[in-house]
Amino acid sequence: MVAKLTKGFWAKVARIILRNRILILCLITLVTVALAFQWTNMRFSSSEANLLPDDHPMNIQYDAFLQKFGEEGNIVALAIKDDRFKEVDKFNSWSTLSKKLDAFPEVDYVVSTENLRELVMDRENNKFVLNSFIKEDPKTNQEVDSLLGHLYNELPFYEGLLYNKETGTVRTLVYLDKDIVNTSVRKVFILNDFTNLINEFEEETGLDVRISGMPYIRTLNSQNIIDEIGVFIGAALLVTSLIFFFFFRSIRATFISMCVVIIGVMWAFGILGLLQYEITVLTALIPPLIIVIGIPNCIFLINKYQQEVKKHGNQGLALQRVISKIGNATLMTNVTTACGFATFIITDSKLLTEFGIVASINIIGIFILSLLIIPIIYSFMYPPKTKHLRHLNKKWIDGFVSWMEHIVREKRITVYVVSLLALILSIIGIYQIDISGSLIEDMSKNTQFYKDIKFFDREFNGVMPIEIVVDTEKEKGVLKPATLKRINELQNFIEETPELSKPLSVVNLVKYSKQAFYNGIPKYYQLPTSQENTFIMDVAKNSKGNENLLENFVDSTGQVVRITTFIKDVKTERMEAIEQSLLQEIAKTFPEERYSAYVTGKALLFLKGTKYLVKNLVLSLSLAIGLIGLFMAYL
């Protein structure tokens, strides 16, 4: 009974399609044009993919950090490792580069040897003042040597920040305006003004500038994705069209199929624009996915049409049977595929939900396009000639199908054994899968910016920020000697972890203040004693105009402090181990009854997001299997 109803339904669908050919083509054209106008709403993601839901504890903590201290991933780092840097003309060119960068409105400020400030004690007025490191541009190589010697040997505050004493690598930190870091303005600035200025410097001096930092990495990686979308689509079209032509040996059939999938790709971009979703690493996969799914639809429909024409020669009957017989089977395969992707919608991750919505809509869309366009276009054409049907008589295809039929009928035990062995191997393979939670794991290893990331890993122990936030739960509690001592203990632990960079916090500034108090002698770069702390704090209170030194380390109330470090590109297991050791050390150093502390940052956020993604993939896969099982039971 169900089979008869289904057959009657599809026969009716076939009649509607073939009797309203012009109207349907006009509607498809109108929808395509309307969706094409939505392309203007398409935009590429300006930030890393956040796979966690908004109410996840890690996201809540990260948002709380941003509210207090602003965007942490706004540093672009430039570095030079070259003995020629000590030449006076090269050194001065580096200073000029810093001045030019600082002049851009997209740049908040620049920290470099050019504008470096040295904290000194003004005995006469009993206050700290910031003097320029470079009083005037050096005139000789000896003056450059003297400046760099002073920096390396007498200003430990800047070690790991602006220089690597062991290798002689010098870097400049460009702090972008926090308001533009996650906007398209950042991309335009990095790809145009910033890149042009660096290229000019390299051509002028012959020095190789290494560039890194999260804004730079994100910009170039997103640009790579944009460039590769066209490559993916072109490669998918080329490969599928060649396979299609090899099978049918018909330029006409190949051209019609390519038109169908190209319209499907146009719809995919249009739906992204209509829903105003950003193009991310996931949604960028949808156009090639539509091509790969659309071509089999075309193969089923065209092959059935040619078989029917060869069988009885009646074109009208052939087209009707194509729609009524292949339409049902193709619908079920496309619906099951769409449902598989639609299971992502139930996740709490915005990124996965958007991908599931767009993918499932477009899979159904490519089914509708292929079912409508192919029969209608063929209805306007002459029936295929005998030469177009020769592929239906290929003996190797018949032989292969006969062999498969023989295996299924006569070798059932062998099929079961092979299937069981394949299942066992698959289960073993599942346990060999590594989960990558690295921000840069999926980036091309051949790009220059990836090589620069590795350079900064070696020279400065990474560019991916990790933030530790400590709430003393008392106003102005951060600068109390006991709190500073605890922060220093945690920083010592961080320095002992080889994958983490030298940390930066208010403790570094307090140590620098003591060094300045003792006339800049490097051995006094340490925490003051309780008695010294009283004197130094009295001097600091008199030092008006230097309050902004604390802004990046302590909140406005003096209650919350941040400790910033960077992590190398390490394996996920090692990153998790580092996180756990940090949490254990924090719990030991800052007791819960007196402090509240947490670890955050882009690197950890991405790690947690990857774990969350895997968890949701398992859930989605289970649901997809259940849905497909229901469809199979219905059939």
Side-chain angles (χ1 to χ4, degrees), residues 343 615-629:
T343 54
K615 177 182 175 182
N616 279 275
L617 284 176
V618 173
L619 175 63
S620 299
L621 179 62
S622 302
L623 182 57
I625 292 173
L627 287 174
I628 293 171

Side-chain angles (χ1 to χ4, degrees), residues 14 57 59 92 100 118 200 242 261 362 545 575 629:
N59 261 340
N92 288 333
K100 290 180 179 179
E118 186 174 358
E200 289 174 7
L242 287 175
V261 294
N362 281 284
M575 189 179 292

Side-chain angles (χ1 to χ4, degrees), residues 469-502:
V469 180
V470 180
D471 187 346
T472 62
E473 300 183 355
K474 293 180 181 179
E475 190 171 338
K476 297 183 180 180
V478 169
L479 294 177
K480 292 185 179 298
T483 303
L484 293 174
K485 184 178 179 181
R486 292 178 187 274
I487 296 173
N488 190 52
E489 289 176 5
L490 179 60
Q491 291 194 185
N492 290 336
F493 175 81
I494 292 173
E495 288 191 44
E496 292 171 0
T497 306
E499 293 86 358
L500 296 177
S501 69
K502 181 179 178 181

Side-chain angles (χ1 to χ4, degrees), residues 594-606:
R594 295 178 57 189
Y595 302 92
S596 60
Y598 60 88
V599 183
T600 187
K602 289 286 187 183
L604 290 180
L605 208 64
F606 195 81

